[in-house]
Structures are given as C-alpha cells and as structure tokens.
Amino acid sequence: MVSMLTLLILVIVVALVFDYINGFHDAANAIATVVSTGVLPVRTAVILAGILNFIGAITGTAVAKTIASGFAEPMIVTQVVVLAALIGACIWNLLTWWYGIPSSSSHALIGGLAGAVVAHAGISAFNWGTLTDKVLIPLVLSPLAGFTIAFLFMIALLWVVRAFKPVTVQRGSRRLQLISACMMAFSHGSNDAQKAMGIITLALVSFMAAGYTGLPESMLPVDKGVPTWVVFSCAAAIGLGTMAGGKRIIKTMGAKIIRITPLQGFAAETAGTATILTASAMGVPVSTTHCISACIMGVGASKRLSAVRWGVAGNIVLAWVLTIPASAGFAFLSLLGLRAIFGDNA
C-alpha cells in the first residue's frame, strides 16, 4: 500500500514536470516574434525569457489561489485525483507540442482537473460556475481583447511612424521589440507558473484536510495561501522549461500566422502583456497562448485581412476549443487507470 505522503511527493514531482513542460511548450508565447524577426537568436531569447519567466512567477499568487480552491473542495480531492489531472494535462500538452499547435497549458490543467474530479466524485463535485466565470468567459474575452488592443495599437503606431524614414523605424522597432519581448516573458511567468503553484497547494490542502501528517509546518499552506517554497520551485521549473525552447511552436506563431515585422512584434507583445498582466492581477487563469496568438492576428489584420493565414489561425482556434474536453478525457481515463494501481488510495 502506497502511503499518502509518498503520493503527495509524487504529485509535487509531476506538477513540477507539468510546469517544466508548460515552460518549453509556451516558450513561443514570449519569444516567437523576437526570434522570427531576427532581433535575437533562439538561444539568447530562450535564456532571457526563462529568467524573466522566473521573475514574473514570484510576483503574485492570485491565480494560484483560484486554482487551489475555486474548482473543487479540497475535502473531495485526493492525491490521485490531482495526479490524474496532471497526467491528462501533460498528455495534451505533449501532443500539441509535437504537432506544433499553440494550445493552452492553463486550460489543459483545468480540463484535467475537471475530468479527474468528475471521474472520482461525479459531475456535481466540480464547480462549473467557477469554470464559466474564470475560464470560459475569459477564454472568449481575453483573445478578443488582445486582438482589439493589438489591432488599434498597430494602427496608432503606423500613424506615429509615418513621418520617419523606413530605416529609422526598422532600427527603433527592433529595440522596442526587445523590451516588449521581455515584458511578455515577465507577464507569462506571472500567470502561467501560478497554475502549478495552485495545483500543488490544492494537493497540500487536501493532504491536511484528510488528517495526514509527515511534513514540517513550514511546508504547509496557511489559510490556503501558497507556501514560499512552492512559489520558488514552480518559478524555477517554468524558467528552466522555457530555456529548453519549443522551436516547433515558435515556428507556427512567429511565421505561419503572419510574416511579422519588428514593429508588428512590438505591438503584439505589448498588447499581450497588457491583457495578461490585467488577468493576473484579477486572479483569472487566462491562456497566454490564446492572448499572444490573437494579438499576432490583430496586428496582421491591421494591415489587411488577407495578411493573416486564416487556415493556420483556424487550426489554432480548433485546438483552443478542444483543449478542455480533450485534457478532461485524458484525465478521466488516467484516474481509472490509477485506481487500478493504487486501489483504496484513489
């Protein structure tokens, strides 16, 4: 019989693996445009993005608290449920990474949690109201906001730079894009790293609620807050994952949606940063992938609608729609398999 402490440690390890996968899966969110325009080489860009992901990740925990307590009561969430949720999310992330599709790691995790909770305790055990308010509505609104902000910002930039020589605009926009890429990496860390923080905190609260012991008090959450060691562990995992790259998705986002210029890259990243940081402050676990993809579409559409490769964009949107149900399905099946392995502990 596997002890609850052993299961908890396994959950923490898998959560950090998920966070690492999230980093290399979503590395493109921050650096796709800056790499595709030649402002930075891939190696330099991923190292810089990894450092800024780490810094962004330690700036707040509002999103983590939503994940930890908003979707299901810790009393009904076992360690095996959390483990199944993580496995479902990892499977979907790896599939979409392999095919170069920029899907949402955030929504994969939430979908995984939904599938695992339903498999364990039934449909009513999952908080569908929180899913609607904190995920599904932002799923629609955040890309729309990003697209609109990027579209209008790009038009404003074109109006501002119209009096300058093209070579001056090119040189200045390359410098600005370097700054915006750093801001985008920071904002990505501020939102995405907190998903793993939240899931580890949920596992810790569940461990405490079930009456188990074996961990020092300094490692446990107080009033469902996120322990400091969890914050720094997750920040390090996503930072290292980002440094590992993600070239397949970088290619899709940096070149296949539109042929992007440094000025367009600056506009897209600035709009994406504004959208994501607003969501992070509100504790809303938005998809950074959705936001930056929509922003790239927005800057492309500001030139002309035909500048956007809508076939590629359509495939991305299809992945957005499928992410939650697909990861939920993988998590549901994972829980059934884990039940056969762990028996009563499930």
Side-chain angles (χ1 to χ4, degrees):
M1 183 72 69
V2 178
S3 71
M4 279 297 120
L5 181 58
T6 302
L7 269 177
L8 175 63
I9 293 170
L10 179 61
V11 166
I12 292 169
V13 170
V14 175
L16 292 175
V17 170
F18 167 81
D19 205 23
Y20 181 88
I21 293 171
N22 188 354
F24 78 71
H25 185 279
D26 288 4
N29 293 358
I31 63 170
T33 60
V34 80
V35 169
S36 64
T37 57
V39 172
L40 286 176
V42 174
R43 182 177 295 274
T44 304
V46 295
I47 292 173
L48 183 62
I51 293 170
L52 287 160
N53 259 291
F54 177 88
I55 295 171
I58 62 177
T59 58
T61 58
V63 175
K65 290 176 182 176
T66 298
I67 298 291
S69 59
F71 294 102
E73 287 297 323
M75 284 296 295
I76 64 171
V77 177
T78 67
Q79 302 304 315
V80 174
V81 168
V82 179
L83 184 59
L86 288 164
I87 291 172
C90 287
I91 291 171
W92 180 250
N93 265 2
L94 290 172
L95 281 174
T96 51
W97 166 79
W98 180 256
Y99 289 104
I101 301 171
S103 67
S104 169
S105 299
S106 308
H107 293 161
L109 182 58
I110 293 166
L113 188 57
V117 168
V118 169
H120 175 69
I123 292 177
S124 61
F126 190 77
N127 192 337
W128 301 104
T130 301
L131 180 70
T132 301
D133 296 340
K134 294 285 189 177
V135 179
L136 298 183
I137 293 176
L139 170 65
V140 176
L141 293 183
S142 59
L144 285 178
F147 182 97
T148 304
I149 293 169
F151 181 89
L152 296 175
F153 187 44
M154 189 66 214
I155 291 174
L157 282 176
L158 291 172
W159 186 85
V160 169
V161 304
R162 74 191 192 286
F164 295 92
K165 293 180 180 179
V167 66
T168 303
V169 174
Q170 178 75 358
R171 188 183 304 117
S173 59
R174 287 172 70 87
R175 292 171 181 168
L176 288 171
Q177 195 190 6
L178 180 58
I179 296 171
S180 65
C182 291
M183 293 191 303
M184 185 65 201
F186 176 89
S187 67
H188 175 261
S190 76
N191 200 281
D192 269 38
Q194 291 191 48
K195 317 301 169 45
M197 294 178 202
I199 207 74
I200 292 175
T201 302
L202 174 61
L204 290 169
V205 173
S206 173
F207 183 81
M208 294 166 61
Y212 294 105
T213 58
L215 290 176
E217 288 189 14
S218 59
M219 293 187 68
L220 299 173
V222 179
D223 296 328
K224 297 185 180 179
V226 182
T228 302
W229 71 270
V230 174
V231 173
F232 280 90
S233 297
C234 292
I238 199 168
L240 291 171
T242 301
M243 290 182 187
K247 294 181 182 179
R248 294 173 184 270
I249 299 175
I250 289 172
K251 184 176 180 181
T252 298
M253 294 180 66
K256 289 187 178 180
I257 299 175
I258 65 169
R259 291 192 178 278
I260 203 162
T261 66
L263 189 64
Q264 289 174 321
F266 167 66
E269 288 161 352
T270 302
T273 297
T275 306
I276 295 164
L277 286 179
T278 300
S280 296
M282 296 172 63
V284 176
V286 296
S287 167
T288 54
T289 306
H290 294 185
C291 290
I292 190 60
S293 299
C295 290
I296 292 172
M297 295 177 203
V299 298
S302 69
K303 183 177 181 181
R304 63 179 185 277
L305 288 177
S306 60
V308 179
R309 294 184 175 94
W310 294 107
V312 175
N315 290 336
I316 293 171
V317 172
L318 180 61
W320 294 359
V321 174
L322 291 177
T323 292
I324 291 177
S327 55
F330 286 129
F332 189 100
L333 295 174
S334 296
L335 184 77
L336 299 183
L338 291 173
R339 227 177 229 166
I341 297 171
F342 294 109
D344 294 339
N345 286 332

